Amino acid sequence: MVGDRAVYGSMAGAVGAFVQLIYGLVGRIIGYSGPDFVDFGKIILFYGRRVGLQGWFMGLLALIVWDIFLGVLFTLLIPETTRRFLWFKGALYGALIWFFVQVVGILFGVPAIIAFIPQTLFFYLMGALIYGIVIASMLHILGYVRQPKDLS
């Protein structure tokens, strides 16, 4: 069963990464000019933002691997969840990820994270909430969650 959770979590995390990239693209179209999710992947790998095509592809790869890891972690933290409040659980998970990434970045003194302005923090918070809802929805679509028991 753990293997199934890893597969479901991987698929949900990969779809979540794809949706985050689309969200970042939409953000660019409507005027957001701060660091996007590929830049966040660069921060994970390089402890800062690198320029160039290789840096962009490595940041993209880091983002996808990170999101797959977080998807698997979600399935392991909630081994047998019901459909009840599933989107709320996903959104809460996304908000917790956002919060802990910010805290760890500040505690370890990562310059690229310390320099974030409120607009960037809000952009990442919305992306984390969307990511959490997407992975919860994907687990529902894949049939990982079960029907709640009738309490009557």
Side-chain angles (χ1 to χ4, degrees):
M1 184 66 181
V2 173
D4 292 343
R5 283 187 252 167
V7 170
Y8 287 149
S10 297
M11 292 190 317
V15 171
F18 178 72
V19 171
Q20 274 187 328
L21 291 172
I22 291 172
Y23 165 71
L25 181 62
V26 170
R28 291 278 184 218
I29 290 170
I30 62 173
Y32 174 73
S33 61
D36 60 10
F37 290 101
V38 174
D39 290 330
F40 178 74
K42 293 178 196 177
I43 291 168
I44 291 172
L45 276 183
F46 304 121
Y47 199 67
R49 292 169 62 186
R50 299 274 194 242
V51 295
L53 193 58
Q54 286 180 328
W56 187 86
F57 278 114
M58 293 305 292
L60 178 64
L61 180 64
L63 173 70
I64 292 169
V65 169
W66 173 251
D67 281 352
I68 286 173
F69 168 74
L70 292 175
V72 171
L73 185 63
F74 183 71
T75 61
L76 294 175
L77 288 175
I78 304 178
E80 287 191 36
T81 190
T82 64
R83 294 180 188 169
R84 186 174 296 142
F85 305 116
L86 187 62
W87 281 7
F88 175 75
K89 293 172 190 175
L92 180 63
Y93 181 69
L96 289 172
I97 291 169
W98 171 81
F99 178 76
F100 285 116
V101 165
Q102 299 306 317
V103 167
V104 168
I106 290 170
L107 289 177
F108 285 101
V110 178
I113 291 179
I114 291 173
F116 283 168
I117 60 173
Q119 178 188 15
T120 302
L121 293 174
F122 182 76
F123 174 79
Y124 280 136
L125 174 61
M126 290 299 105
L129 293 173
I130 291 169
Y131 172 78
I133 291 169
V134 166
I135 62 171
S137 298
M138 279 304 300
L139 292 175
H140 172 71
I141 291 168
L142 293 170
Y144 179 72
V145 295
R146 58 187 168 77
Q147 289 280 17
K149 293 180 182 176
D150 189 17
L151 299 176
S152 56

